[in-house]
Structure formats: C-alpha cells, structure tokens
Amino acid sequence: MTLRVVVADDQELVRAGFSMILDAQPDIEVVAEAGDGAQAVAAVREHRPDLLLLDIRMPVMDGIEAARIVCADGGCRVLMLTTFDLDDYVYDALRAGAAGFLLKDVRRDDLVHAVRVVAAGESLLAPSVTTRLIADFTSRAPRPAAPPSERLAVLTGRERETLRMIARGLSNAEIAREMVVSEHTVKTHVSNVLTKLGLRDRVQAVIVAYETGLAIPGELA
C-alpha cells in the first residue's frame, strides 16, 4: 500500500528536499506540495493524503491553524516540522491534533521512518525532542479541574505505569522490556489507557501524564 503525503513548507528548497527523499521510497508518494498553511489545507482536501508534513511557522495561515483544520476534518495525520526543539508553538500544535514533530535537520532515514510511523497511526515521541517539549509546555499549562487521582482512577496500576513510560518517550518494545511482558501485552495496556481516558493517540496521553502530575518535567528517560 502506498502512503500518500502532502509536504508543506514555505522554504522551497526544504520542501523540495523532503519531497525528493519521500518520493524516492517505493511505498511513499508525494501527491502535492504547499508553500503556506492555506495551500496545505486546500491540498489535503483535494488529494486526501494519509499524512501532511507541515511546517509549524507558515505565512498566510500558520501551521497551528492548518493542523487544527486538517485534524478536525479527519482522515489525515499531521506531522509537524520545526526549526528548533523549543519552539513556542509546539504545545499549541499538540492541542491542535498533531501526531508528532521533526526537526528540520532530521536525517533522511529518520524522516522516512517518521512518516511511516505516523501514517500508520502511531505518534512520534522521540525523548530528545518531543517529550522534552511536552514536559516544558505542560509544566506551564493550566492544571485540569479534576484532581489527578480522580482523573486517572479508571486506570489499573499497570496502565498507570504504562502511561508514565509513554510520557518518558519509550516505545512499546522498550516498555515491554522494562515491565518484563510481551509487546502484545503492552499494546493492550496502551489501547486501554487511550480508551479509558478518551484520548486520540500517544501524544495526548503524554499531555495527560504531565497535566495530572503522573509524569514530572525533568524525570525523562
């Protein structure tokens, strides 16, 4: 099955470079390019891709608003691009529905891997980038009205432990090793966490972990 991708970046060389790398893969097709947020939204609505690779800072309509519209429409995953790993807009992008982040200096293989992972329905939570960003911004975000114990009361002990490890940026395989269980068991725990807390994906799970105090900024893997 071929993954259909739209690449949106206001820098033509960056956009062309990413498109060339992705188009060279046998299972990925770049169906359109966009130079601003409004063009990105229009391209997604016209071509119905599996994934939108979207710069966070864009003219006409910024990446945050474009991500919000695309995610609200449904059917397309959003992977954000940022120039540096402490972008002031990252937390807003998470809230808008982005499934992950890449730095623009990402290596070729990591770009391809990220597109495949996010298009498959997972979230990109690299400990060196995304988890630190989430920790930083959620530590400054308003606390939820419900006490943490009440909000997480629906989870079992194992599910809470799984959520804490997700917040540390661990993959299913890494969580399985730490918990000494199979990856299938971890997938079940992750699915239960998302379902019980009414979350869309692992990115939202990380936000909840920090908002409730289950995970604490600075205590990252």
Side-chain angles (χ1 to χ4, degrees), residues 4-12 14-20 22-23 28-36 39-40 43-44 49 51-55 58 81 111 115:
R4 293 163 52 81
V5 178
V6 168
V7 177
D9 193 295
D10 62 327
Q11 298 179 50
E12 184 178 357
V14 172
R15 187 171 72 244
F18 284 152
S19 294
M20 181 178 64
L22 295 175
D23 246 347
I28 299 175
E29 177 188 4
V30 176
V31 296
E33 295 183 16
D36 60 54
Q39 290 179 7
V44 168
L51 181 136
L52 169 62
L53 186 62
L54 178 66
D55 188 9
M58 302 270 280
L81 291 166
L111 169 65
V115 167

Side-chain angles (χ1 to χ4, degrees), residues 19 51 89-91 94-95 97 100 108-109 133 151 163 215 217:
S19 294
L51 181 136
Y89 299 106
V90 166
Y91 187 67
L94 288 173
R95 286 300 192 190
R108 178 191 302 261
D109 290 347
L133 295 173
R151 191 171 184 186
L163 177 56

Side-chain angles (χ1 to χ4, degrees), residues 182-201:
S182 69
E183 283 192 55
H184 176 75
T185 297
V186 172
K187 288 180 181 178
T188 299
H189 289 330
V190 172
S191 177
N192 289 342
V193 167
L194 299 182
T195 299
K196 289 182 178 181
L197 296 179
L199 306 175
R200 181 186 59 249
D201 54 30

